[in-house]
Amino acid sequence: MGKRDYRIDNTKGILIILVVIGHFLLPVASTRFTTNSLYLIYTFHMPCFIFISGYLAKGVYRDGRFRWDKLARLVWLYILFELGVHVTEGLLEGHIGWRVDFFHESGAPWYLLALILWYLLIPLFFHLRKWVSLAAVLAIGLAGGYAGNLGDFLAADRVLAFAPFFYLGYFFAAENLGAVCSGKRRAAAVGLGAVTAAVIFLGTYDYLEPYRLAVYGAMYDRFAPELYSVCWLIRLVCYLAAGALSFGLLAFLPARRLPFLTVLGQRTLPVYVLHRLIRDLCQYFDLYRFFNVHSKAQVLILMGGCVALAAVLASGPVYRGFGLLAELPFRLAGTVKRRENHP
């Protein structure tokens, strides 16, 4: 087993904080400060997360063997997350139905569903040349938005749009990442990322609204009709901005263990799943009525609360409890197998 890369953990720590902040700001974003904050977060936080997911997925298919156990765990987590969101969204809508739709998803569980599909396609791209694979997924990502009839079936809109980041990460070698994060390349990556962040945060409120759906991976039929023919180009620009911000963050963060951030980055899964359910419950109990979106101080306090929530959800007791739930069917299956082998 190779040495753990703390730069990846640190980056995941920052990204999961941004995920929580983004979801808690989403219901109330209406001012220049909150809207630009969301634009900045949503431009790159999931593309970067997905790049890292691909980077860490190299062991899914190796020596002709597919890790079905990893896929099974993702499927189980997706089912749990989908059931949880079904309940909390039902509370918000005033009715919790008996039918759970596991095949159409545009909310937070989409990421787990997309990982399942991207994992399944790894053997296909593994046997193609790297640059052929990357060119193919880039073309699919840019052209896939025109397949409007797919919509959120199997999260197809996000699966197609974000696939280039996953497979770029999958084919990205450790030495490639080390080269980007050292010397003059590191300075260039950090500088480009900082400039891109400044432009988005300071200058997009009046201009990005017509194009923001490209950031979310939406099908192009959701854009204004006059933009339809150039939506692929808009998405390409979004890809470039996401890449600049992602590599800028990776290059900026150190490759050493950091207090709080490194551990948080190693425990992102319970934070990702549980914070969304908590956000829905905050809406259900109308806790946002105590929040003034026009007060920057209160917005900053909310962001600080999101950091604190991430810390709680990544704490030892929550992490272990979530792990027990995530492993429950596999522990039961292991117990049954041992009993069968030892009557």
Side-chain angles (χ1 to χ4, degrees), residues 253-316:
L253 291 170
R256 66 178 185 274
R257 192 178 183 90
L258 295 177
F260 171 65
L261 200 60
T262 303
V263 174
L264 179 61
Q266 295 169 354
R267 301 177 175 181
T268 55
L269 201 51
V271 182
Y272 185 77
V273 172
L274 297 176
H275 88 276
R276 168 57 196 276
L277 307 180
I278 293 171
R279 195 286 306 271
D280 287 352
L281 291 176
C282 287
Q283 289 183 271
Y284 176 71
F285 290 109
D286 199 21
L287 297 184
Y288 276 102
R289 72 180 184 275
F290 300 110
F291 174 73
N292 179 11
V293 71
H294 297 285
S295 168
K296 287 184 180 178
Q298 290 194 31
V299 173
L300 292 174
I301 290 172
L302 177 64
M303 291 180 177
C306 290
V307 177
L309 177 61
V312 170
L313 297 180
S315 63

Side-chain angles (χ1 to χ4, degrees), residues 6-342:
Y6 290 128
R7 175 179 283 109
I8 295 295
D9 292 332
N10 295 334
T11 305
K12 288 173 64 183
I14 293 291
L15 292 173
I16 198 62
I17 288 172
L18 294 179
V19 168
V20 179
I21 291 174
H23 279 152
F24 271 83
L25 277 183
L26 203 56
V28 294
S30 58
T31 66
R32 179 180 292 270
F33 181 68
T34 54
T35 302
N36 281 0
S37 296
L38 275 186
Y39 285 160
L40 178 57
I41 290 170
Y42 276 82
T43 297
F44 83 103
H45 76 315
M46 288 312 298
C48 191
F49 232 130
I50 291 163
F51 171 84
I52 291 174
S53 296
Y55 183 79
L56 297 175
K58 293 177 175 59
V60 170
Y61 181 75
R62 183 169 290 166
D63 300 326
R65 299 183 62 183
F66 190 87
R67 290 286 305 276
W68 293 104
D69 58 319
K70 291 180 71 70
L71 191 72
R73 283 167 169 78
L74 272 179
V75 171
W76 171 241
L77 283 174
Y78 173 68
I79 291 171
L80 287 178
F81 199 2
E82 192 68 42
L83 290 172
V85 169
H86 178 75
V87 171
T88 57
E89 289 185 347
L91 288 173
L92 290 173
E93 295 170 0
H95 173 70
I96 302 175
W98 289 103
R99 180 177 176 272
V100 183
D101 187 351
F102 292 102
F103 298 100
H104 293 81
E105 185 52 64
S106 59
W110 77 265
Y111 172 60
L112 298 179
L113 180 55
L115 279 180
I116 293 167
L117 298 174
W118 291 328
Y119 275 16
L120 286 170
L121 290 173
I122 283 177
L124 170 64
F125 290 111
F126 179 87
H127 292 289
L128 295 175
R129 292 185 178 182
K130 176 174 71 172
W131 296 111
V132 172
S133 298
L134 292 177
V137 294
L138 177 60
I140 290 169
L142 295 175
Y146 289 107
N149 57 316
L150 291 176
D152 61 0
F153 176 69
L154 296 180
D157 48 356
R158 315 289 178 88
V159 170
L160 297 176
F162 292 117
F165 296 100
F166 181 84
Y167 292 105
L168 177 63
Y170 178 75
F171 286 112
F172 217 78
E175 53 268 26
N176 299 141
L177 186 61
V180 171
C181 298
S182 61
K184 293 182 179 179
R185 291 181 181 178
R186 181 186 187 193
V190 172
L192 181 59
V195 170
T196 304
V199 169
I200 293 173
F201 184 72
L202 297 176
T204 55
Y205 182 70
D206 298 317
Y207 305 105
L208 194 59
E209 181 65 24
Y211 319 111
R212 64 182 179 83
L213 290 173
V215 176
Y216 292 77
M219 292 298 181
Y220 296 153
D221 56 7
R222 294 176 61 186
F223 283 73
E226 61 270 19
L227 298 174
Y228 191 71
S229 62
V230 294
C231 282
W232 69 271
L233 183 58
I234 296 171
R235 178 164 288 175
L236 179 60
V237 172
C238 290
Y239 281 172
L240 295 174
L245 290 166
S246 298
F247 283 111
L249 179 62
L250 280 161
F252 174 76
L253 291 170
R256 66 178 185 274
R257 192 178 183 90
L258 295 177
F260 171 65
L261 200 60
T262 303
V263 174
L264 179 61
Q266 295 169 354
R267 301 177 175 181
T268 55
L269 201 51
V271 182
Y272 185 77
V273 172
L274 297 176
H275 88 276
R276 168 57 196 276
L277 307 180
I278 293 171
R279 195 286 306 271
D280 287 352
L281 291 176
C282 287
Q283 289 183 271
Y284 176 71
F285 290 109
D286 199 21
L287 297 184
Y288 276 102
R289 72 180 184 275
F290 300 110
F291 174 73
N292 179 11
V293 71
H294 297 285
S295 168
K296 287 184 180 178
Q298 290 194 31
V299 173
L300 292 174
I301 290 172
L302 177 64
M303 291 180 177
C306 290
V307 177
L309 177 61
V312 170
L313 297 180
S315 63
V318 177
Y319 181 71
R320 288 189 292 272
F322 184 86
L324 289 173
L325 184 60
E327 290 292 319
L328 180 61
F330 310 101
R331 289 175 181 270
L332 293 175
T335 301
V336 171
K337 188 174 182 179
R338 284 194 296 271
R339 287 178 179 175
E340 290 175 348
N341 293 334
H342 302 280

